[in-house]
Structure formats: C-alpha cells, structure tokens
Amino acid sequence: MDSDGLFLGLDLSTQQLKGIAIDSLGHILLETSIVFDSQFPKYQTTNGRHVNGSTVTAPVMMWVEAIDLVMSRLHDAGLASRIRAISGAAQQHGSVYWSQQGIETIGKLDIQWSLHEQLAGAFAVLDSPVWEDSSTTEQCQKLETWAGSSAELARISGSAAFERFTAAQIMKIKDQSSDIWNHVARISLVSSFVASILSGTLAPIDASDASGTNLYDIEAGQWSKTLCNAVDLGLLEMLGKVTMADQVVGTLAPYFAAKYGMSQCPVVSFTGDNPSAYAGFESMLTDADQLASVVSLGTSDTMLSPLTIYPYSSDDLAKDSEHIDGHVLQHPTVSNRYIAMLCYKNGSLAREWVRDNCLGANTYGSWTEFNQAAATGPLVPAAYGFYYLSREILPKGAIGIHRFEQTASTGDIVCPSGTQYKRVQAFSTTSDPRAILESQVMSMRLDYLRKSTKPLTAAIVTGGASVNPALRQVVADVLGVPVFAVGLHDGTLAMPAYGAAVRALRYLEPSRVLEGNFVLEQVGWPDFDVFGVYSEAMADFEFLREQVTHQFVVVGC
C-alpha cells in the first residue's frame, strides 16, 4: 500500500454529515461537518428533521446534496485523489424508498449536472421516516401479533416492536399511503442509501443495521421470511441482500471519480452509527480487552456491550418478557458475535436536574458541589434513588423520582435480602448526587447481566458527561473494571465516522496496527471492595427498580 493513501469514513447523523480522512496509521488528516439546518435552509429543518407531532422525518434530497458537498470539500482540501477506500455509518432505523426511476438513474449519473438535479424523481417517499418517529404504535401492535408475542419478536429480531424501527415505518407507509407504496421499488436503510449513492448501484444492507428493523432473523443471519411476508409479500425483494460491514459493496461511481478527481476505489459496506462507533473503539483495544463496554454519557445514556452468545437462544429467556428490554444487534464485522445496546433516556438532563434542585439554593449549576457530594462512597445498601424525569426507555415506562432508605422498623418494602426499606420524600443523611450516579450505572450492570453472564474487562466512556470524574469512578466501581476515555481534543471524537474510516483501511490492510493521533487513556480505577458492596446490593436494587417501574407514582425532590 502506498504511504500517500487515505481512507474516508462518513457518518450521516440526524443533524449533520461528518467526514474523517485518515492515513494508513490512523492519523486524522481531515475532519469536516455539513450541518443540515445552516447549510440547507431551504429544507426548513430543525436539528436536521421535520417534526409534526409524533411523526419525525428528514428530506432525503437534503441528504443527497450533503453527499455531493462533502466530496466537494474533500476535493477542495486537495485530498480527494489520495482516497483509497471509503466506508461509512448513518443514523439507525431510518429508511429510504427508491422508485424504479431512481434505481435506473444512480448507475448513469452525468457530471454536467448536480447529484440532486439528477435524482429529483429517484424516491417514492421524499421525507424519510427517522429514528425519532413515534407515530407507529398501531403497527407495532400488529407486528407483535404476527410474530406471536413481543418475546417471540425479540427472539427473532433482537428487539420487541419499537415505533422507530423500520418494520413499523414501512407498515405505516403501506397502510396510509397506498398510492405512494405502489411506486416503491426498493427500500434502503439510511446507511445503505449512502453506500448506494457513492457506488452507483443499490448496495446491500449491513447485518448489524438490519438488526434495527424488527425484520431480520439474527440467529439465521437473514431476513425473516415470516415477518417480511406478514408486512408485504414483495418485501423480501424490496430489501435485497444482507452483508457484513467489512465487505465491499462496489466501487466509487464514475460520477464522483470524474467530478472530484478520485480513483474508483472500493466502497466498503456502511452500517449504523452505534455499531460503527463500537467497532471503532474495538480497533483501539488489545485482545485482552475485547469484552469492553462502550458507555456513551450524554443527554441520553447508551451502553454498547459485547455478547459472545445470542441471549435469546434460551427458550426460558425468550419467553421471559421481563428480559427483552433493550436491543441485541449483530456485530458489524464478526458473524458469531453480537452487541447489546441499552438505551436510557434520563441521562445528563436528570443529572443536571439533581445538581440544580437537590443541593441547596447556593449551589445551583455547580458540578464541583455535585461531585463533592457524590464522592461520599457507596450509599447502597443504606439507600437507593431512582430519577426518571421523562418516561424511561429502560426500564420501560418508569417515571418519577423515588427514594428508599433502610429501616429497622416495619418498612414499605421487604427486599429479597430481607432488608426493609421505607419510601422517603427526601434523603436525610445521604446524597442525591451519589444516588443518581449509582442508580444509573447499576441499571446498566443489571441490564447487561440479563443479556450475558460474561464479565466485562473494561469500559470506555464517551460523550459530554464522560469528563466528570465522579461519574467515571462510579462506572469503575459498579462495573468492577478499569475505565478509559479517548485522549483527543475534548474527548468527543466522531467515532462512527472514524470507525468507518478504520473499516475502509482494514479492507486493504487487514493486519495494520494503528498509531493514531489519540490514545485510550485510563481515567478510572475500580475499588474492588466497593465493587463487592455493589455486587451484594444488586438483587435488592433489581427488586426496588421493579417496584418503581410497576407500582409507585411520582415523588418530587
């Protein structure tokens, strides 16, 4: 491989299209972002989408223009001719609906015309449904009925029915817009849509992204004929083939090669943003740390954890609807591995609410005061707190602020350990900051252990809240693992795009060892005595969380 070669990773997220070009050692030579609202005001998007009540969509032609523009920026930076391979990622669950005209057009694009001018009639649906949409409850109920139950749907597809997942979105279009549906020739996910534009041919959907559709049979490694036929007898053909994210789906279309002075380099399969980010972090790990979890700490919190066994293979587990929350995805590049994706709506906003409302009038907005209060050591088993300002995703439906303190007298609840707890309006001697951090991370540990019995070897924290030292330490102590963060800029590397660039590189140089201009830095060391305290408290925590989810009402701060 020539030392001058570069590798391009793209990420089409909700609000922007990001691009990262790396060299063969992993050094980043270019980062660029096309922010949809400011770059394309004519589409009148807010944060990259159109919101109409519970219906949330994005203009597919806006994405088309962004693809053309990011390649133009690469050319203007003098790097386009050096690109040797391309891969990418995109927001999960969203779908793009091709007309027959579109299928025919992408293979014969002319550099005399812009991309969006030539693809004006390429799509049967001009506003693509995206992951924030929640308008398909009726379709979700139908899908679970067709599967036999929510547990059976999870056994097949890795998830119970979710409104944002692609199956329900396809069903809604067919149910409510039959005239539009009749013009749909093929369906892409957002990730395979971008790969299709770049390669000039309809690219297959990657297996990991397919896992976010409620249509893919994860264990069988193929679309579920039962589920697809229930939606539409022609759906299997509309969805096309499935591939792994490290496989080539084509070469760069002549349009881009000629217009921007690029070679017709390989286009490696695009995948979802979460699987791509996970694979990117994996590329930094040693073999000893391959059971590392990636914990994204932001407005919402997400935990991505490795699974060596499909968790719903067990008949007992598959029938247990208590254990089918969260999502199981196919690993993007390893066919016999999987990823548990656990999403929590009440992340940083809940932590900020405790900071601003539970520490006294003189400490409003102070993370210093919050962290000092959180550094008191374990509260459990003396006290537990649950903080659900918004209705929670996991545990599903939980809402409100709930506090429990251990009592020697008769309490409101007797836990499995025999310990009695009373519900309290406010903590008398303990700290809400410590309680919320413990509760959030203990939930991650509990939900991971419902998917796997394998102990984690490390945790990588990312996102805006990953800089908080108190939160890092709680992650280390509750999970019992060393905690790492990316030592680059402000720690917010665009990992989906970077992970895609690494996949592009490793297609051509599979044994390449990356140096990169960043490292994983250890930022948390577990105290195993404290870890033991949390381990003993997990059963009571699980019991109390179930009570909160199904029984109790809101209690204020």
Side-chain angles (χ1 to χ4, degrees):
M1 176 58 61
D2 64 282
S3 59
D4 195 46
L6 301 179
F7 305 86
L8 179 63
L10 300 176
D11 175 27
L12 198 162
S13 64
T14 308
Q15 300 186 45
Q16 59 192 319
L17 175 61
K18 301 174 185 176
I20 289 180
I22 65 172
D23 66 13
S24 59
L25 294 177
H27 297 100
I28 297 172
L29 273 70
L30 173 73
E31 291 182 77
T32 186
S33 295
I34 297 165
V35 179
F36 299 138
D37 290 0
S38 57
Q39 189 67 50
F40 305 115
K42 66 182 179 182
Y43 291 104
Q44 298 182 315
T45 56
T46 301
N47 296 323
R49 72 274 197 273
H50 294 148
V51 180
N52 181 14
S54 59
T55 299
V56 185
T57 59
V60 66
M61 293 307 297
M62 179 180 72
W63 295 341
V64 169
E65 289 200 59
I67 294 169
D68 222 0
L69 181 55
V70 79
M71 304 305 275
S72 175
R73 287 190 180 178
L74 194 67
H75 174 268
D76 292 346
L79 301 178
S81 64
R82 296 171 60 186
I83 299 299
R84 300 294 180 261
I86 302 171
S87 189
Q91 54 182 291
Q92 291 189 263
H93 315 305
S95 44
V96 175
Y97 299 81
W98 296 88
S99 67
Q100 185 59 40
Q101 177 184 334
I103 295 173
E104 296 169 0
T105 300
I106 58 169
K108 51 183 182 181
L109 297 169
D110 187 336
I111 64 171
Q112 301 301 318
W113 302 88
S114 68
L115 199 57
H116 78 277
E117 288 174 317
Q118 297 179 78
L119 295 179
F123 307 102
V125 178
L126 293 180
D127 262 24
S128 289
V130 295
W131 68 274
E132 290 179 275
D133 188 278
S134 59
S135 65
T136 58
T137 301
E138 178 184 346
Q139 286 76 22
C140 287
Q141 293 169 347
K142 285 183 183 179
L143 190 62
E144 290 187 343
T145 299
W146 292 338
S149 67
S150 60
E152 179 62 13
L153 182 60
R155 185 195 66 76
I156 297 170
S157 72
S159 302
F162 279 85
E163 284 85 354
R164 67 184 183 274
F165 275 38
T166 320
Q169 300 297 334
I170 293 172
M171 292 165 65
K172 178 184 172 183
I173 291 172
K174 182 183 177 184
D175 290 347
Q176 298 183 4
S177 306
S178 58
D179 54 334
I180 292 176
W181 179 252
N182 290 335
H183 288 89
V184 176
R186 286 287 298 270
I187 300 172
S188 293
L189 298 185
V190 181
S191 58
S192 61
F193 150 76
V194 183
S196 299
I197 296 291
L198 292 175
S199 61
T201 185
L202 286 182
I205 293 171
D206 134 80
S208 190
D209 217 8
S211 307
T213 64
N214 276 143
L215 293 168
Y216 186 68
D217 187 327
I218 294 180
E219 277 199 289
Q222 61 188 18
W223 296 115
S224 166
K225 185 175 181 179
T226 299
L227 296 176
C228 288
N229 285 346
V231 175
D232 188 277
L233 291 177
L235 186 57
L236 280 168
E237 185 176 351
M238 289 180 178
L239 291 171
K241 296 180 180 179
V242 176
T243 189
M244 298 298 288
D246 57 355
Q247 298 299 302
V248 166
V249 297
T251 56
L252 188 65
Y255 169 85
F256 294 104
K259 186 172 184 178
Y260 299 115
M262 304 175 71
S263 67
Q264 288 190 257
C265 62
V267 176
V268 180
S269 180
F270 282 43
T271 185
D273 51 5
N274 284 303
S276 186
Y278 186 82
F281 280 114
E282 268 194 329
S283 71
M284 304 180 197
L285 298 170
T286 65
D287 291 340
D289 286 327
Q290 286 301 306
L291 286 177
S293 180
V294 176
V295 182
S296 176
L297 301 166
T299 303
S300 60
D301 293 339
T302 301
M303 184 184 198
L304 299 170
S305 301
L307 301 174
T308 56
I309 298 174
Y310 187 64
Y312 301 146
S313 296
S314 162
D315 290 339
D316 291 338
L317 184 58
K319 293 174 182 176
D320 188 352
S321 61
E322 295 294 322
H323 290 175
I324 61 170
D325 289 336
H327 313 296
V328 177
L329 308 177
Q330 169 67 57
H331 190 284
T333 60
V334 185
S335 60
N336 62 350
R337 290 181 59 198
Y338 311 92
I339 300 172
M341 185 168 74
L342 308 172
C343 302
Y344 304 88
K345 183 180 290 186
N346 293 277
S348 284
L349 294 183
R351 291 185 286 269
E352 290 167 8
W353 182 86
V354 168
R355 178 200 65 189
D356 295 340
N357 293 276
C358 299
L359 287 173
N362 296 326
T363 60
Y364 186 89
S366 172
W367 283 117
T368 299
E369 296 290 339
F370 178 97
N371 289 345
Q372 287 177 352
T376 56
L379 295 184
V380 302
Y384 296 84
F386 300 86
Y387 302 81
Y388 306 121
L389 277 66
S390 301
R391 194 165 295 279
E392 186 53 83
I393 298 171
L394 187 58
K396 189 174 183 179
I399 186 73
I401 312 301
H402 311 272
R403 300 178 182 86
F404 300 90
E405 286 187 344
Q406 193 176 122
T407 179
S409 59
T410 302
D412 301 310
I413 295 177
V414 180
C415 284
S417 65
T419 305
Q420 298 192 65
Y421 289 89
K422 62 180 179 180
R423 299 188 72 217
V424 295
Q425 192 80 12
F427 283 139
S428 55
T429 58
T430 53
S431 160
D432 282 286
R434 183 74 186 193
I436 189 173
L437 299 187
E438 289 185 342
S439 177
Q440 289 176 329
V441 184
M442 289 178 78
S443 276
M444 294 178 186
R445 177 175 171 178
L446 170 63
D447 296 322
Y448 168 72
L449 290 175
R450 287 177 168 178
K451 299 286 187 280
S452 176
T453 58
K454 296 275 189 179
L456 295 170
T457 57
I460 303 169
V461 292
T462 184
S466 66
V467 299
N468 187 306
L471 181 50
R472 289 170 169 177
Q473 191 56 47
V474 171
V475 171
D477 289 340
V478 171
L479 300 182
V481 296
V483 173
F484 298 87
V486 178
L488 172 74
H489 303 314
D490 57 0
T492 56
L493 172 66
M495 188 51 75
Y498 180 80
V502 171
R503 288 199 310 280
L505 164 61
R506 287 196 165 151
Y507 171 72
L508 293 178
E509 297 189 57
S511 60
R512 169 67 70 179
V513 177
L514 303 182
E515 292 179 1
N517 52 351
F518 59 89
V519 293
L520 281 180
E521 299 175 346
Q522 187 166 352
V523 294
W525 289 258
D527 182 323
F528 288 105
D529 290 334
V530 175
F531 172 68
V533 172
Y534 289 121
S535 297
E536 292 180 3
M538 286 303 298
D540 283 359
F541 173 83
E542 179 177 14
F543 185 82
L544 289 171
R545 197 182 75 161
E546 291 300 315
Q547 298 301 307
V548 163
T549 304
H550 300 297
Q551 180 175 345
F552 292 124
V553 296
V554 177
V555 176
C557 188

PDB file of all heavy atoms in Angstrom, residues 446-469:
ATOM      1  N   LEU A 446     -27.193  -4.238  35.624  1.00  0.00           N
ATOM      2  CA  LEU A 446     -28.300  -5.179  35.705  1.00  0.00           C
ATOM      3  C   LEU A 446     -28.765  -5.590  34.314  1.00  0.00           C
ATOM      4  O   LEU A 446     -28.942  -6.792  34.026  1.00  0.00           O
ATOM      5  CB  LEU A 446     -29.456  -4.541  36.486  1.00  0.00           C
ATOM      6  CG  LEU A 446     -30.788  -5.287  36.470  1.00  0.00           C
ATOM      7  CD1 LEU A 446     -30.654  -6.651  37.136  1.00  0.00           C
ATOM      8  CD2 LEU A 446     -31.868  -4.454  37.164  1.00  0.00           C
ATOM      9  N   ASP A 447     -28.954  -4.618  33.439  1.00  0.00           N
ATOM     10  CA  ASP A 447     -29.495  -4.925  32.125  1.00  0.00           C
ATOM     11  C   ASP A 447     -28.487  -5.662  31.253  1.00  0.00           C
ATOM     12  O   ASP A 447     -28.876  -6.506  30.431  1.00  0.00           O
ATOM     13  CB  ASP A 447     -29.958  -3.627  31.449  1.00  0.00           C
ATOM     14  CG  ASP A 447     -31.107  -2.976  32.215  1.00  0.00           C
ATOM     15  OD1 ASP A 447     -31.973  -3.698  32.713  1.00  0.00           O
ATOM     16  OD2 ASP A 447     -31.121  -1.735  32.314  1.00  0.00           O
ATOM     17  N   TYR A 448     -27.196  -5.387  31.450  1.00  0.00           N
ATOM     18  CA  TYR A 448     -26.187  -6.169  30.737  1.00  0.00           C
ATOM     19  C   TYR A 448     -26.199  -7.620  31.207  1.00  0.00           C
ATOM     20  O   TYR A 448     -26.143  -8.554  30.389  1.00  0.00           O
ATOM     21  CB  TYR A 448     -24.791  -5.561  30.938  1.00  0.00           C
ATOM     22  CG  TYR A 448     -23.688  -6.487  30.468  1.00  0.00           C
ATOM     23  CD1 TYR A 448     -23.482  -6.695  29.108  1.00  0.00           C
ATOM     24  CD2 TYR A 448     -22.880  -7.174  31.372  1.00  0.00           C
ATOM     25  CE1 TYR A 448     -22.496  -7.568  28.663  1.00  0.00           C
ATOM     26  CE2 TYR A 448     -21.893  -8.033  30.939  1.00  0.00           C
ATOM     27  CZ  TYR A 448     -21.700  -8.233  29.583  1.00  0.00           C
ATOM     28  OH  TYR A 448     -20.732  -9.107  29.142  1.00  0.00           O
ATOM     29  N   LEU A 449     -26.299  -7.834  32.520  1.00  0.00           N
ATOM     30  CA  LEU A 449     -26.273  -9.197  33.045  1.00  0.00           C
ATOM     31  C   LEU A 449     -27.514  -9.998  32.658  1.00  0.00           C
ATOM     32  O   LEU A 449     -27.507 -11.230  32.731  1.00  0.00           O
ATOM     33  CB  LEU A 449     -26.137  -9.164  34.575  1.00  0.00           C
ATOM     34  CG  LEU A 449     -24.772  -8.684  35.088  1.00  0.00           C
ATOM     35  CD1 LEU A 449     -24.770  -8.555  36.601  1.00  0.00           C
ATOM     36  CD2 LEU A 449     -23.656  -9.629  34.627  1.00  0.00           C
ATOM     37  N   ARG A 450     -28.556  -9.320  32.228  1.00  0.00           N
ATOM     38  CA  ARG A 450     -29.725 -10.019  31.697  1.00  0.00           C
ATOM     39  C   ARG A 450     -29.488 -10.493  30.269  1.00  0.00           C
ATOM     40  O   ARG A 450     -30.275 -11.264  29.727  1.00  0.00           O
ATOM     41  CB  ARG A 450     -30.957  -9.112  31.744  1.00  0.00           C
ATOM     42  CG  ARG A 450     -31.490  -8.920  33.158  1.00  0.00           C
ATOM     43  CD  ARG A 450     -32.666  -7.969  33.171  1.00  0.00           C
ATOM     44  NE  ARG A 450     -33.359  -8.000  34.455  1.00  0.00           N
ATOM     45  CZ  ARG A 450     -34.399  -7.250  34.767  1.00  0.00           C
ATOM     46  NH1 ARG A 450     -34.880  -6.380  33.885  1.00  0.00           N
ATOM     47  NH2 ARG A 450     -34.975  -7.347  35.952  1.00  0.00           N
ATOM     48  N   LYS A 451     -28.422 -10.015  29.660  1.00  0.00           N
ATOM     49  CA  LYS A 451     -28.077 -10.418  28.293  1.00  0.00           C
ATOM     50  C   LYS A 451     -26.864 -11.343  28.252  1.00  0.00           C
ATOM     51  O   LYS A 451     -26.681 -12.068  27.285  1.00  0.00           O
ATOM     52  CB  LYS A 451     -27.777  -9.172  27.446  1.00  0.00           C
ATOM     53  CG  LYS A 451     -28.948  -8.182  27.320  1.00  0.00           C
ATOM     54  CD  LYS A 451     -30.011  -8.697  26.391  1.00  0.00           C
ATOM     55  CE  LYS A 451     -31.091  -7.654  26.118  1.00  0.00           C
ATOM     56  NZ  LYS A 451     -32.087  -7.555  27.185  1.00  0.00           N
ATOM     57  N   SER A 452     -26.011 -11.294  29.281  1.00  0.00           N
ATOM     58  CA  SER A 452     -24.773 -12.074  29.243  1.00  0.00           C
ATOM     59  C   SER A 452     -24.283 -12.372  30.651  1.00  0.00           C
ATOM     60  O   SER A 452     -24.452 -11.560  31.560  1.00  0.00           O
ATOM     61  CB  SER A 452     -23.690 -11.294  28.484  1.00  0.00           C
ATOM     62  OG  SER A 452     -22.460 -11.987  28.510  1.00  0.00           O
ATOM     63  N   THR A 453     -23.678 -13.528  30.821  1.00  0.00           N
ATOM     64  CA  THR A 453     -23.034 -13.873  32.092  1.00  0.00           C
ATOM     65  C   THR A 453     -21.533 -13.633  32.038  1.00  0.00           C
ATOM     66  O   THR A 453     -20.836 -13.854  33.033  1.00  0.00           O
ATOM     67  CB  THR A 453     -23.287 -15.353  32.431  1.00  0.00           C
ATOM     68  OG1 THR A 453     -22.780 -16.171  31.361  1.00  0.00           O
ATOM     69  CG2 THR A 453     -24.775 -15.624  32.608  1.00  0.00           C
ATOM     70  N   LYS A 454     -21.013 -13.166  30.895  1.00  0.00           N
ATOM     71  CA  LYS A 454     -19.582 -12.925  30.747  1.00  0.00           C
ATOM     72  C   LYS A 454     -19.205 -11.626  31.456  1.00  0.00           C
ATOM     73  O   LYS A 454     -19.818 -10.580  31.216  1.00  0.00           O
ATOM     74  CB  LYS A 454     -19.219 -12.810  29.270  1.00  0.00           C
ATOM     75  CG  LYS A 454     -19.449 -14.078  28.469  1.00  0.00           C
ATOM     76  CD  LYS A 454     -18.278 -15.011  28.573  1.00  0.00           C
ATOM     77  CE  LYS A 454     -18.430 -16.168  27.607  1.00  0.00           C
ATOM     78  NZ  LYS A 454     -17.276 -17.091  27.677  1.00  0.00           N
ATOM     79  N   PRO A 455     -18.187 -11.649  32.319  1.00  0.00           N
ATOM     80  CA  PRO A 455     -17.773 -10.399  32.971  1.00  0.00           C
ATOM     81  C   PRO A 455     -17.090  -9.466  31.978  1.00  0.00           C
ATOM     82  O   PRO A 455     -16.310  -9.893  31.124  1.00  0.00           O
ATOM     83  CB  PRO A 455     -16.795 -10.875  34.045  1.00  0.00           C
ATOM     84  CG  PRO A 455     -16.279 -12.195  33.544  1.00  0.00           C
ATOM     85  CD  PRO A 455     -17.410 -12.813  32.782  1.00  0.00           C
ATOM     86  N   LEU A 456     -17.391  -8.187  32.078  1.00  0.00           N
ATOM     87  CA  LEU A 456     -16.727  -7.192  31.246  1.00  0.00           C
ATOM     88  C   LEU A 456     -15.273  -7.045  31.672  1.00  0.00           C
ATOM     89  O   LEU A 456     -14.920  -7.283  32.832  1.00  0.00           O
ATOM     90  CB  LEU A 456     -17.447  -5.845  31.360  1.00  0.00           C
ATOM     91  CG  LEU A 456     -18.878  -5.799  30.830  1.00  0.00           C
ATOM     92  CD1 LEU A 456     -19.544  -4.486  31.218  1.00  0.00           C
ATOM     93  CD2 LEU A 456     -18.895  -5.974  29.310  1.00  0.00           C
ATOM     94  N   THR A 457     -14.421  -6.641  30.726  1.00  0.00           N
ATOM     95  CA  THR A 457     -13.000  -6.446  31.032  1.00  0.00           C
ATOM     96  C   THR A 457     -12.614  -4.979  31.132  1.00  0.00           C
ATOM     97  O   THR A 457     -11.573  -4.647  31.689  1.00  0.00           O
ATOM     98  CB  THR A 457     -12.128  -7.118  29.960  1.00  0.00           C
ATOM     99  OG1 THR A 457     -12.466  -6.578  28.674  1.00  0.00           O
ATOM    100  CG2 THR A 457     -12.344  -8.630  29.950  1.00  0.00           C
ATOM    101  N   ALA A 458     -13.431  -4.088  30.569  1.00  0.00           N
ATOM    102  CA  ALA A 458     -13.121  -2.657  30.593  1.00  0.00           C
ATOM    103  C   ALA A 458     -14.367  -1.892  30.179  1.00  0.00           C
ATOM    104  O   ALA A 458     -15.317  -2.465  29.644  1.00  0.00           O
ATOM    105  CB  ALA A 458     -11.962  -2.331  29.649  1.00  0.00           C
ATOM    106  N   ALA A 459     -14.362  -0.596  30.454  1.00  0.00           N
ATOM    107  CA  ALA A 459     -15.415   0.296  29.971  1.00  0.00           C
ATOM    108  C   ALA A 459     -14.748   1.511  29.337  1.00  0.00           C
ATOM    109  O   ALA A 459     -13.781   2.055  29.879  1.00  0.00           O
ATOM    110  CB  ALA A 459     -16.334   0.718  31.108  1.00  0.00           C
ATOM    111  N   ILE A 460     -15.256   1.918  28.188  1.00  0.00           N
ATOM    112  CA  ILE A 460     -14.789   3.125  27.516  1.00  0.00           C
ATOM    113  C   ILE A 460     -15.913   4.145  27.598  1.00  0.00           C
ATOM    114  O   ILE A 460     -17.028   3.884  27.146  1.00  0.00           O
ATOM    115  CB  ILE A 460     -14.445   2.848  26.045  1.00  0.00           C
ATOM    116  CG1 ILE A 460     -13.394   1.739  25.937  1.00  0.00           C
ATOM    117  CG2 ILE A 460     -13.945   4.119  25.365  1.00  0.00           C
ATOM    118  CD1 ILE A 460     -13.191   1.222  24.532  1.00  0.00           C
ATOM    119  N   VAL A 461     -15.645   5.292  28.210  1.00  0.00           N
ATOM    120  CA  VAL A 461     -16.674   6.317  28.347  1.00  0.00           C
ATOM    121  C   VAL A 461     -16.476   7.385  27.283  1.00  0.00           C
ATOM    122  O   VAL A 461     -15.353   7.759  26.945  1.00  0.00           O
ATOM    123  CB  VAL A 461     -16.676   6.952  29.759  1.00  0.00           C
ATOM    124  CG1 VAL A 461     -17.116   5.940  30.792  1.00  0.00           C
ATOM    125  CG2 VAL A 461     -15.317   7.539  30.119  1.00  0.00           C
ATOM    126  N   THR A 462     -17.585   7.859  26.748  1.00  0.00           N
ATOM    127  CA  THR A 462     -17.560   8.892  25.731  1.00  0.00           C
ATOM    128  C   THR A 462     -18.783   9.771  25.922  1.00  0.00           C
ATOM    129  O   THR A 462     -19.647   9.491  26.751  1.00  0.00           O
ATOM    130  CB  THR A 462     -17.541   8.254  24.320  1.00  0.00           C
ATOM    131  OG1 THR A 462     -17.411   9.275  23.334  1.00  0.00           O
ATOM    132  CG2 THR A 462     -18.791   7.452  24.060  1.00  0.00           C
ATOM    133  N   GLY A 463     -18.862  10.860  25.171  1.00  0.00           N
ATOM    134  CA  GLY A 463     -19.974  11.774  25.330  1.00  0.00           C
ATOM    135  C   GLY A 463     -19.651  12.912  26.281  1.00  0.00           C
ATOM    136  O   GLY A 463     -18.630  12.897  26.983  1.00  0.00           O
ATOM    137  N   GLY A 464     -20.536  13.905  26.327  1.00  0.00           N
ATOM    138  CA  GLY A 464     -20.269  15.117  27.082  1.00  0.00           C
ATOM    139  C   GLY A 464     -20.021  14.911  28.556  1.00  0.00           C
ATOM    140  O   GLY A 464     -19.189  15.597  29.168  1.00  0.00           O
ATOM    141  N   ALA A 465     -20.739  13.963  29.185  1.00  0.00           N
ATOM    142  CA  ALA A 465     -20.602  13.753  30.630  1.00  0.00           C
ATOM    143  C   ALA A 465     -19.426  12.854  30.983  1.00  0.00           C
ATOM    144  O   ALA A 465     -19.150  12.646  32.172  1.00  0.00           O
ATOM    145  CB  ALA A 465     -21.891  13.173  31.205  1.00  0.00           C
ATOM    146  N   SER A 466     -18.714  12.341  29.973  1.00  0.00           N
ATOM    147  CA  SER A 466     -17.607  11.422  30.258  1.00  0.00           C
ATOM    148  C   SER A 466     -16.420  12.121  30.901  1.00  0.00           C
ATOM    149  O   SER A 466     -15.490  11.460  31.377  1.00  0.00           O
ATOM    150  CB  SER A 466     -17.167  10.721  28.977  1.00  0.00           C
ATOM    151  OG  SER A 466     -16.608  11.645  28.061  1.00  0.00           O
ATOM    152  N   VAL A 467     -16.427  13.457  30.912  1.00  0.00           N
ATOM    153  CA  VAL A 467     -15.331  14.187  31.550  1.00  0.00           C
ATOM    154  C   VAL A 467     -15.531  14.308  33.061  1.00  0.00           C
ATOM    155  O   VAL A 467     -14.625  14.766  33.764  1.00  0.00           O
ATOM    156  CB  VAL A 467     -15.193  15.600  30.941  1.00  0.00           C
ATOM    157  CG1 VAL A 467     -14.874  15.503  29.459  1.00  0.00           C
ATOM    158  CG2 VAL A 467     -16.460  16.425  31.169  1.00  0.00           C
ATOM    159  N   ASN A 468     -16.682  13.904  33.581  1.00  0.00           N
ATOM    160  CA  ASN A 468     -16.972  14.041  35.005  1.00  0.00           C
ATOM    161  C   ASN A 468     -16.244  12.963  35.806  1.00  0.00           C
ATOM    162  O   ASN A 468     -16.523  11.770  35.645  1.00  0.00           O
ATOM    163  CB  ASN A 468     -18.484  13.930  35.239  1.00  0.00           C
ATOM    164  CG  ASN A 468     -18.872  14.217  36.669  1.00  0.00           C
ATOM    165  OD1 ASN A 468     -18.351  13.622  37.605  1.00  0.00           O
ATOM    166  ND2 ASN A 468     -19.815  15.134  36.856  1.00  0.00           N
ATOM    167  N   PRO A 469     -15.300  13.338  36.680  1.00  0.00           N
ATOM    168  CA  PRO A 469     -14.505  12.328  37.387  1.00  0.00           C
ATOM    169  C   PRO A 469     -15.329  11.493  38.356  1.00  0.00           C
ATOM    170  O   PRO A 469     -15.035  10.307  38.552  1.00  0.00           O
ATOM    171  CB  PRO A 469     -13.447  13.164  38.118  1.00  0.00           C
ATOM    172  CG  PRO A 469     -14.037  14.533  38.232  1.00  0.00           C
ATOM    173  CD  PRO A 469     -14.875  14.717  37.010  1.00  0.00           C
TER     174      PRO A 469
END
